[in-house]
Amino acid sequence: MDVNIVGGFDDRRSLSAKISTWLLHLLAALAERYKDVMKIRIKTCAISLMNDDGNAKPIGRGMGMDVRTGEVFLAKADLAVTGPAQQLRMAHVWAGRDTLSVVKTIASDAICIEPFFYDVFPNLNTYLKMPDHKMIKRTSTSPDAEEANFCSDVRKTLRFVRELDCARVFGPGIDHPLIFERVSRNDWKRVN
């Protein structure tokens, strides 16, 4: 199995270095555990200091792969191609969930957003009114490394959480997933 990793930077609290160390130890443990059935080979490793631009900011924030050749490259997706229901997907972060949600698999071209509970939390309106310099310090784990649209994206998500009750999104029992299918290259339609 070939592994390509990009992320982190030389942050003041050395969190990237700690996460990178943990990840590399995990990969080494997996390689040892499964050595009889597969080999794990790190092909790309741009993490922590190796992904820092010299100003405590990451060089790469994402990676893409050409599926025909296996070639990897630094990538940043344009907002137009990031899929449907972006504010809902970001609300997952504000719902206090400590797990990631898989929305797309290679088995299907559909995107499925599993139901989750979210609600207006105390001080949401305070966050919406905060100037950018305060909001970024309170909502980012890496305030000095965020991109220019970070605060506006957070505000869009918080307004979504405030204005659209999760029961209206996922049904009264919060038990109906949203399924979207691609209708053209960058357009999606809800199918349920």
Side-chain angles (χ1 to χ4, degrees):
M1 174 172 58
D2 291 338
V3 177
N4 299 281
I5 312 166
V6 66
F9 59 100
D10 188 18
D11 61 289
R12 286 189 312 243
R13 297 181 292 166
S14 297
L15 294 176
S16 291
K18 290 173 186 166
I19 293 168
S20 297
T21 300
W22 171 84
L23 180 60
L24 292 173
H25 280 86
L26 174 65
L27 288 171
L30 290 171
E32 178 63 28
R33 182 175 183 180
Y34 296 105
K35 67 183 175 188
D36 295 333
V37 292
M38 73 173 166
K39 288 185 178 182
I40 296 177
R41 181 175 61 171
I42 297 177
K43 289 188 71 176
T44 307
C45 187
I47 56 177
S48 299
L49 284 171
M50 295 181 286
N51 189 44
D52 192 273
D53 70 357
N55 298 303
K57 294 198 170 148
I59 296 168
R61 296 173 184 263
M63 190 173 2
M65 176 185 282
D66 183 326
V67 294
R68 289 172 288 154
T69 65
E71 180 184 344
V72 296
F73 52 89
L74 292 180
K76 179 179 177 184
D78 184 89
L79 197 58
V81 297
T82 55
Q86 292 171 21
Q87 269 64 57
L88 175 62
R89 290 172 21 222
M90 290 302 300
H92 194 266
V93 173
W94 290 91
R97 307 289 297 225
D98 59 356
T99 58
L100 295 176
S101 177
V102 175
V103 297
K104 172 91 174 71
T105 67
I106 58 173
S108 168
D109 198 30
I111 286 183
C112 178
I113 303 172
E114 293 294 335
F116 63 94
F117 179 80
Y118 65 86
D119 199 3
V120 175
F121 57 88
N123 301 324
L124 181 141
N125 287 322
T126 303
Y127 278 92
L128 283 170
K129 294 174 187 172
M130 273 184 198
D132 286 358
H133 71 278
K134 285 186 180 180
M135 175 181 271
I136 203 164
K137 294 248 186 255
R138 299 225 176 143
T139 60
S140 171
T141 57
S142 308
D144 297 328
E146 294 297 354
E147 293 185 337
N149 61 340
F150 178 83
C151 290
S152 64
D153 288 348
V154 168
R155 284 187 183 91
K156 285 179 194 171
T157 301
L158 294 178
R159 281 193 291 275
F160 175 90
V161 167
R162 182 183 66 189
E163 295 165 9
L164 193 59
D165 184 81
C166 66
R168 287 183 51 209
V169 176
F170 297 118
I174 321 295
D175 57 358
H176 297 292
L178 300 186
I179 300 173
F180 297 87
E181 287 184 351
R182 190 185 305 268
V183 293
S184 66
R185 185 175 174 99
N186 297 324
D187 293 319
W188 299 83
K189 74 172 183 175
R190 186 168 168 197
V191 294
N192 68 335

